Amino acid sequence: RKEVEQDPGPFNVPEGATVAFNCTYSNSASQSFFWYRQDCRKEPKLLMSVYSSGNEDGRFTAQLNRASQYISLLIRDSKLSDSATYLCVVILASGGSYIPTFGRGTSLIVHP
Amino acid sequence: NAGVTQTPKFQVLKTGQSMTLQCAQDMNHNSMYWYRQDPGMGLRLIYYSASEGTTDKGEVPNGYNVSRLNKREFSLRLESAAPSQTSVYFCASRGGRDIVNTQYFGPGTRLTVL
């Protein structure tokens, strides 16, 4: 079982829709969590961190459920420009180092 | 600030050739990472360096070597390239000791091995 799993999609939604992605992780000792966005053939860029209390940034809301070991990303009022691949990242601290593990990404296509 | 820079942007090699991918960051970050990204596989960690003078293997280190030349620079070397190493390679850096600190990525090197 891969350490971090995501549904690859694609999620194909109309403009204005609300869409949600989940990401599950296997190591209960994982300590911090992020969502990144990656546009085609570009480098990943941080979208938002994920906190236990949940956090919101405009149309984006991230949640962490430690008991069930998953994180989620909710996008409201989808825009064409939201079309991208969304990567979840889980950080494990090991021997003083922080080891990031990426999910394979979820593809989102927003159409007119 | 330039952030994380990588050279070259594109490279084509023949099987058995060697090359070094260069990465530099100007954010005074302690940790640096090398990833490869293949279609459908996501980002896989090759090597990382938690601080200047240290390097450790990641998930897929075979066929690669790294050097943390100084705090700014972290290079990745392919001694004898193979077609299976055709991929997009990303370098990243991360600052501070706080676990909530995030990574910043370079623009990537697209490598084709014939």
Side-chain angles (χ1 to χ4, degrees), chain B residues 1-5 26:
Chain B
N1 287 351
V4 181
T5 57
D26 61 2

Side-chain angles (χ1 to χ4, degrees), chain A residues 78-90:
Chain A
S78 298
K79 312 290 184 194
L80 295 175
S81 57
D82 293 334
S83 297
T85 298
Y86 292 83
L87 305 169
C88 71
V89 187
V90 172

Side-chain angles (χ1 to χ4, degrees), chain A residues 2 31-32 34 36 38 41-44 46 49 51 87 89 91-94 96-100 102-104, chain B residues 10 33 35 37 40-43 45 48 50 59 90 94 96-107 110:
Chain A
K2 193 161 171 33
Q31 295 175 279
S32 64
F34 303 91
Y36 277 72
Q38 186 174 28
R41 301 180 68 79
K42 301 274 191 171
E43 72 272 25
L46 178 69
S49 304
Y51 304 122
L87 305 169
V89 187
I91 308 286
L92 188 64
S94 174
S97 299
Y98 299 130
I99 313 300
F102 282 77
R104 296 184 182 186
Chain B
F10 301 92
Y33 305 80
Y35 295 90
Q37 187 173 34
M41 295 297 293
L43 282 150
L45 184 63
Y48 66 98
E59 181 185 356
F90 289 104
R94 181 177 178 282
R97 296 183 181 278
D98 194 333
I99 197 167
V100 300
N101 290 345
T102 186
Q103 292 181 304
Y104 295 87
F105 283 83
R110 283 151 184 80

Side-chain angles (χ1 to χ4, degrees), chain A residues 53-110:
Chain A
S53 55
N55 49 305
E56 189 173 310
D57 183 1
R59 299 182 292 108
F60 299 84
T61 300
Q63 297 273 358
L64 166 63
N65 185 317
R66 283 192 184 272
S68 300
Q69 295 183 205
Y70 74 85
I71 64 174
S72 63
L73 178 67
L74 181 76
I75 305 175
R76 289 180 298 277
D77 189 22
S78 298
K79 312 290 184 194
L80 295 175
S81 57
D82 293 334
S83 297
T85 298
Y86 292 83
L87 305 169
C88 71
V89 187
V90 172
I91 308 286
L92 188 64
S94 174
S97 299
Y98 299 130
I99 313 300
T101 301
F102 282 77
R104 296 184 182 186
T106 297
S107 175
L108 173 65
I109 302 169
V110 182

